[in-house]
Amino acid sequence: MEIITSVSRAGTLDNSLRRRLQNPFNFLQTYIKKGMKVLDLGCGTGFCTFDIAKLLNGKGEVVAADLQQGMLNILSGKTEYAEYKNLIRLHRCNENSIGLQNEKFDFILVFYVFHEMPEHNKVLQEISSLLNPDGKVLMVEPKFHVNKNEFQKTKEQITENGFRFIENSPKVFFSRSVLFHV
């Protein structure tokens, strides 16, 4: 069973040092444009959510999705005072599904969470069903939890599920990343 980051450790997920080292605005600005619909899958306390909303530049939507209600509660408190709060929608996933079956997204971010998810193939199939035909997925995993061999296996699962890699995946400090599409 995969270990899920506890809500009690939420403060370690979004802090000023991490923000300086892994500034989401910097690595997402190439991919997220005004008017897009974006899924921040496994959003936690919103480390990337607000930068995504800012990149939407007043038009579009970011769905911040997480399994843990406690993470969403923390994010909700932060959202109340956010400049782009009208572009952010919180969504609680269930144990067996992301739970957004009737929606389509232009961009899906899976940041530091895929290694925590059971049934990777099932998750990838659901991501595929949520993606617009020209949509992209960025997966970023922490080097301290996902070694090179494990990440290679993840990449193999991605291709086995019908995705193709896009060259020039962004470099994210102390992370492994891959950009792909259907």
Side-chain angles (χ1 to χ4, degrees):
M1 177 157 206
E2 303 299 327
I3 297 172
I4 296 175
T5 301
S6 167
V7 174
S8 66
R9 298 191 60 225
T12 63
L13 299 175
D14 193 358
N15 60 62
S16 60
L17 176 61
R18 183 177 182 207
R19 191 156 290 284
R20 276 189 298 237
L21 296 173
Q22 297 179 322
N23 187 325
F25 189 89
N26 291 343
F27 68 81
L28 291 172
Q29 66 183 334
T30 303
Y31 311 108
I32 298 174
K33 305 297 180 209
K34 183 176 185 170
M36 291 178 94
K37 186 169 180 181
V38 179
L39 175 59
D40 185 1
L41 181 59
C43 64
T45 62
F47 180 69
C48 297
T49 305
F50 298 103
D51 290 294
I52 293 169
K54 185 176 183 180
L55 287 163
L56 293 174
N57 198 19
K59 189 171 193 275
E61 181 181 38
V62 55
V63 176
D66 204 282
L67 176 64
Q68 297 183 78
Q69 186 60 49
M71 293 292 192
L72 293 172
N73 291 344
I74 293 168
L75 178 53
S76 178
K78 292 177 176 180
T79 303
E80 187 175 325
Y81 305 103
E83 181 180 355
Y84 299 103
K85 67 182 177 184
N86 60 320
L87 302 179
I88 299 170
R89 175 169 49 107
L90 304 183
H91 171 77
R92 184 169 181 204
C93 302
N94 66 51
E95 298 264 342
N96 301 312
S97 162
I98 298 167
L100 295 165
Q101 292 85 350
N102 298 320
E103 299 195 44
K104 294 289 184 183
F105 295 89
D106 302 302
F107 188 84
I108 298 175
L109 176 64
V110 187
F111 190 83
Y112 273 40
V113 71
F114 193 71
H115 67 278
E116 295 182 354
M117 296 176 175
E119 301 184 53
H120 289 164
N121 287 326
K122 184 177 177 185
V123 172
L124 288 166
Q125 290 165 8
E126 193 168 358
I127 286 172
S128 178
S129 74
L130 295 172
L131 202 59
N132 277 327
D134 58 345
K136 295 177 178 69
V137 180
L138 174 60
M139 182 182 294
V140 182
E141 289 285 83
K143 284 185 176 180
F144 52 89
H145 282 305
V146 180
N147 67 39
K148 191 174 185 178
N149 289 336
E150 290 168 332
F151 195 67
Q152 184 58 40
K153 288 178 187 174
T154 296
K155 289 172 70 174
E156 290 168 9
Q157 287 178 311
I158 290 168
T159 57
E160 288 167 4
N161 280 279
F163 291 101
R164 295 184 318 256
F165 295 114
I166 301 169
E167 290 187 40
N168 301 323
S169 296
K171 302 289 185 225
V172 180
F173 181 76
F174 209 62
S175 304
R176 304 179 197 289
S177 66
V178 63
L179 183 67
F180 54 97
H181 64 103
V182 180

